Amino acid sequence: MTLRKTTLQRSLMTGACIAAMATTYATADQMPAERSLSGLQYELIGRGDIYSYRALDSYNQAPFLDALVSEGKLPPVSERLPAEPLVFSTAAMSDGLGEYGGVFRHVIGGRPEGFNWLAGQHQGWGGINMAVQECLVRQGPRWQVKAEDQSGPLPNLAKSWEWNAEMTELTMHLVEGIKWSDGDAFDTDDIAFWWNDNVENENVASRIQAGSFGGGAKLDVIDAYTFKFTFPSKQSNTVIEGLAYIQGCPGPSHVLKASHPTYNASATYDSYLNAMPADNVPYPVLGAWVPVEHKADEIVILRRNPYYWKVDEAGNQLPYINEMHFKLTTWDDRTTQALAGTGDWSNMENPGNYVEALKQSQDPNSPVSAKFGPRTLAWRIELNFAQNLAEGAYDKELRGLFRNTDFRAAMSHAIDRDAVGQALARGPFAYPYMGGFASGSPYYHAEATHYTPFDQGKAAELLAGLGLKDTDGNGVLNLPETGEDLVIDMTFKSQRTDDRKQVDAVTSQLAEVGIRVLPKSVDETSFDPMRNSGDFTAILQRANFILPTRETCGNLPVSDICPAFHLTGADGRDMMDFEVELADLVQKFGSTDDAAAQSQYADRMQTLLSQNYYNIGLIQVPAALLVNKRVKNAHPGTPVFMYEWAEDAVIRERLWVPADQQTEELLPGTIAEY
Ligand code: BQZ
């Protein structure tokens, strides 16, 4: 959490930053005043107050497992747990120790791409990724940790770590004795496979790009539970955030190796990517629940992982809940079903539903209550800057225009963000977004953000200054070299109504200044591969730029294929000047634990991102977490997004439902059979 400097200090420093950058804009317009809608109240606690690792005298298991143990299908619970399991503290549980049983019902709009997350596949988002994947460290629960304890990510699979004196070597220690959900040992064989054969292998679209972690860290395995990263330069605990979800999540090497081209001459990288197809569950996981059934476009059913390595202080193996459902419908339906009581969870993030949802949730009989958090959901337009990858004269000229700051400034001035926000949802929800950190980020400072007001005249002046004229009188500007109409294909996710509404608003607003937008909808399941291929002209999507260390590759120029809207071409990396500085700031940010220094680096990133329109920001809104009232231990202060999504922040493995309110399991008494 950033230490808030005094206003005087910050404005002096920000002023210095802005003055130091010679730009074509006389003064940096300040952001309009922001009205927070956040109603979250909660006590902050110490980072060690949430959980610890230790051996307990005895352990218990979900009652239905007793039969499987007595039939010899499972070892006793004490043999299924590590010597020192992760133990959740009762004092940090808002409703205390839980009861076993029941179902947790998620509703999502995504669809499982596959279960090879090492190769970059997602399982449908909406919490299903995090239900099966466990990562070296954890960020989500940090929302509840007091500022003075914010010394980097929380432990998870890695229970501890230490640096050498120069902070160039990080030695990490795995929890000893964790098993995959099929009973296979989890150890540094899995770490080596994750790192050497996925992260460092440029043929694999791993979530950490080769050479980008800490500026190019190298891995050494020390023993079965110890490994070491060696960095080219001094680092800090901050860089370890890059080992949290979605980046630092090992996969089952005992299953995947046989499908990897390095170990199987007949395998290809495409066959490896699809080695764990979505319709062929179950697979070994480290997460609390195992995917056992997938009916396409209908449901994914998960059953408890009998080898899950976390317990409560009474020694009860977690999770409490036996079965998890992911009903495969739409993102809007997630909120609808939460309000109807047929779903247990929604990150209410579709502003078009806010007014109705708030009204329904105020009813004392409503199955959920809604409390807004800070603004962390922000939409932006990503223009493709990879001019040396463009095919054909038109794309080359168009991407050359995208690389011109005046053109991006013109697009930004042409957008009426108030109108975009009201098109999404009438009311106080939307606030202008200028790219960079969303206002709910602990690193956001309005003073470091360059505001671009709606000004069609300024837009037209800038466009004319670039030689763009409507030479054929059809109302669309023409490119100076090719003479073609200025047409921007704008890709968005078909399932996202809020994205579609903004594309429509932006299409009509840009038309006013002679820029034609052609909306192109793409199914969310194939959206990431399309974006990662760089095969697009422009994208409008929601982004969660809250921390510089989270999904860094999606936002900042930290490697040849990051971000997807500026890939490296055949003749090298044609970085723009401010991108060079951004990449340097990312490294500087990760090399210090000093909150004041981090805040300065973040402010500089924010100014560069907003002043250079790295993305054309649109609007940002708060989200509200809806959890069915029958579900216990869902802390009422949990934000939809802060250090990570709420599905991680709420710690679902601690959730429970009183026996008399549990819904019927579809697969009672079963566990995954491999
Ligand atoms: C939350 C989240 C949990 C991804 C996804 C989805 C993908 C993006 C983003 C959100 C969904 C939900 O967000 O909208 O509320 O449940 O899953 O992972 O938008 O398309 O690629 O970054 O997190």
Side-chain angles (χ1 to χ4, degrees):
M1 193 65 85
T2 309
L3 299 176
R4 293 282 178 208
K5 276 179 291 309
T6 64
T7 310
L8 174 62
Q9 268 177 311
R10 219 167 44 222
S11 54
L12 283 177
M13 190 189 62
T14 307
C17 282
I18 289 175
M21 285 174 311
T23 71
T24 51
Y25 307 102
T27 54
D29 290 276
Q30 286 304 306
M31 292 294 286
E34 178 179 6
R35 183 181 149 218
S36 170
L37 301 178
S38 181
L40 298 177
Q41 266 101 30
Y42 47 88
E43 293 301 310
L44 295 176
I45 58 179
R47 59 188 283 121
D49 296 339
I50 305 175
Y51 53 85
S52 59
Y53 298 83
R54 63 187 194 279
L56 300 181
D57 297 338
S58 63
Y59 299 103
N60 314 304
Q61 63 187 0
F64 83 85
L65 295 177
D66 295 345
L68 296 171
V69 172
S70 52
E71 290 157 15
K73 289 181 180 170
L74 276 179
V77 61
S78 58
E79 294 171 24
R80 305 199 308 265
L81 288 165
E84 295 188 338
L86 187 151
V87 183
F88 281 106
S89 308
T90 310
M93 295 180 176
S94 49
D95 297 303
L97 296 178
E99 299 173 37
Y100 282 120
V103 180
F104 193 87
R105 304 163 301 175
H106 277 288
V107 176
I108 61 175
R111 297 294 182 271
E113 196 182 14
F115 284 82
N116 189 357
W117 60 80
L118 283 188
Q121 289 192 321
H122 66 79
Q123 291 75 59
W125 309 106
I128 190 170
N129 297 15
M130 299 173 206
V132 299
Q133 297 179 39
E134 290 274 350
C135 312
L136 285 173
V137 297
R138 193 169 192 176
Q139 287 279 81
R142 283 181 72 180
W143 68 271
Q144 203 181 4
V145 175
K146 50 193 175 190
E148 58 270 30
D149 256 8
Q150 288 293 5
S151 57
L154 299 170
N156 197 47
L157 291 170
K159 63 186 288 187
S160 64
W161 49 85
E162 68 271 352
W163 291 93
N164 65 342
E166 298 74 24
M167 305 242 356
T168 54
E169 293 179 6
L170 172 69
T171 302
M172 303 192 92
H173 305 277
L174 295 175
V175 175
E176 298 192 16
I178 290 177
K179 293 184 172 63
W180 290 93
S181 56
D182 63 352
D184 189 81
F186 167 67
D187 55 30
T188 44
D189 286 349
D190 298 304
I191 300 297
F193 180 69
W194 157 65
W195 186 265
N196 300 329
D197 297 309
N198 291 275
V199 174
E200 294 283 90
N201 185 324
E202 304 211 331
N203 299 296
V204 179
S206 170
R207 294 285 177 175
I208 299 182
Q209 293 312 314
S212 73
F213 176 58
K218 293 299 170 209
L219 174 81
D220 291 298
V221 168
I222 311 291
D223 62 34
Y225 298 108
T226 314
F227 57 96
K228 178 173 78 172
F229 283 116
T230 302
F231 296 88
S233 60
K234 175 184 173 303
Q235 299 297 317
S236 74
N237 281 333
T238 305
V239 76
I240 307 173
E241 293 178 5
L243 299 176
Y245 174 85
I246 196 171
Q247 295 94 286
C249 319
S253 62
H254 64 292
V255 169
L256 282 169
K257 258 186 175 173
S259 304
H260 192 289
T262 301
Y263 305 94
N264 174 349
S266 63
T268 64
Y269 282 101
D270 193 50
S271 65
Y272 170 64
L273 170 67
N274 296 297
M276 297 167 84
D279 53 8
N280 198 25
V281 294
Y283 297 110
V285 300
L286 294 174
W289 293 276
V290 185
V292 295
E293 200 163 314
H294 169 217
K295 292 177 184 162
D297 275 340
E298 189 184 328
I299 191 169
V300 178
I301 302 172
L302 298 90
R303 291 289 297 172
R304 73 167 41 254
N305 170 2
Y307 289 89
Y308 196 51
W309 44 285
K310 303 181 187 179
V311 300
D312 66 20
E313 282 188 303
N316 298 313
Q317 182 190 28
L318 298 175
Y320 292 120
I321 292 175
N322 283 334
E323 190 169 284
M324 185 170 269
H325 297 168
F326 284 87
K327 290 189 264 189
L328 307 176
T329 66
T330 68
W331 295 112
D332 290 354
D333 191 40
R334 177 168 71 168
T335 297
T336 305
Q337 291 214 36
L339 291 165
T342 54
D344 290 320
W345 178 282
S346 183
N347 297 335
M348 193 170 78
E349 60 189 13
N350 25 359
N353 290 9
Y354 280 8
V355 174
E356 178 54 28
L358 284 173
K359 204 161 57 181
Q360 287 189 35
S361 67
Q362 306 304 335
D363 181 327
N365 299 319
S366 167
V368 293
S369 60
K371 270 201 186 65
F372 277 108
R375 287 184 175 85
T376 53
L377 304 175
W379 283 264
R380 70 194 195 192
I381 296 170
E382 300 170 350
L383 299 174
N384 195 328
F385 296 132
Q387 188 180 24
N388 60 14
L389 271 176
E391 285 165 14
Y394 176 75
D395 272 348
K396 231 176 219 340
E397 186 175 8
L398 186 61
R399 292 186 188 182
L401 207 48
F402 290 170
R403 291 167 63 93
N404 186 308
T405 310
D406 280 355
F407 180 79
R408 302 195 299 275
M411 278 186 73
S412 190
H413 275 298
I415 289 168
D416 178 350
R417 290 172 175 86
D418 291 345
V420 174
Q422 293 307 312
L424 217 51
R426 309 205 69 72
F429 308 109
Y431 178 68
Y433 174 58
M434 306 316 301
F437 297 109
S439 71
S441 161
Y443 296 106
Y444 172 80
H445 293 134
E447 301 85 346
T449 308
H450 175 81
Y451 177 60
T452 302
F454 175 49
D455 183 342
Q456 285 182 329
K458 180 74 178 169
E461 179 195 324
L462 288 165
L463 293 168
L466 293 166
L468 291 163
K469 296 186 185 64
D470 176 12
T471 52
D472 52 11
N474 66 349
V476 181
L477 295 171
N478 295 83
L479 298 181
E481 288 163 35
T482 55
E484 306 248 358
D485 281 347
L486 204 184
V487 177
I488 299 177
D489 288 358
M490 194 166 288
T491 306
F492 66 99
K493 294 169 187 169
S494 51
Q495 289 95 332
R496 295 282 178 169
T497 43
D498 301 310
D499 301 15
R500 152 69 80 188
K501 284 179 184 173
Q502 293 183 68
V503 165
D504 291 345
V506 161
T507 298
S508 61
Q509 290 178 5
L510 291 175
E512 303 261 316
V513 294
I515 298 173
R516 172 172 292 164
V517 170
L518 284 184
K520 285 178 70 176
S521 71
V522 166
D523 180 90
E524 189 162 13
T525 305
S526 45
F527 187 88
D528 287 358
M530 173 282 299
R531 182 172 181 264
N532 294 337
S533 73
D535 182 17
F536 61 87
T537 299
I539 280 177
L540 186 150
Q541 71 161 340
R542 187 192 73 199
N544 293 83
F545 190 56
I546 306 295
L547 308 176
T549 54
R550 181 185 185 278
E551 293 190 349
T552 311
C553 180
N555 295 297
L556 294 165
V558 290
S559 96
D560 282 359
I561 63 167
C562 308
F565 52 86
H566 192 186
L567 300 180
T568 296
D571 42 357
R573 187 102 171 105
D574 54 353
M575 293 263 261
M576 294 175 275
D577 290 349
F578 69 89
E579 287 185 293
V580 176
E581 188 179 352
L582 276 173
D584 181 49
L585 284 164
V586 172
Q587 292 312 325
K588 286 196 169 99
F589 185 92
S591 67
T592 178
D593 280 330
D594 177 289
Q598 283 183 333
S599 182
Q600 275 192 314
Y601 295 136
D603 278 351
R604 181 67 182 147
M605 282 183 211
Q606 182 71 352
T607 302
L608 286 173
L609 289 166
S610 55
Q611 186 116 38
N612 290 288
Y613 311 95
Y614 202 36
N615 303 124
I616 313 288
L618 298 174
I619 54 116
Q620 54 189 315
V621 300
L625 179 57
L626 309 181
V627 182
N628 191 290
K629 291 172 183 170
R630 80 192 215 290
V631 176
K632 304 303 175 198
N633 276 349
H635 192 295
T638 307
V640 165
F641 194 100
M642 179 52 81
Y643 287 90
E644 190 44 75
W645 285 105
E647 291 90 340
D648 183 36
V650 81
I651 307 181
R652 287 176 295 173
E653 56 267 36
R654 285 185 324 190
L655 300 181
W656 59 279
V657 179
D660 61 350
Q661 298 175 57
Q662 292 176 6
T663 44
E664 200 174 329
E665 298 169 39
L666 295 179
L667 302 171
T670 66
I671 57 171
E673 291 180 8
Y674 296 93

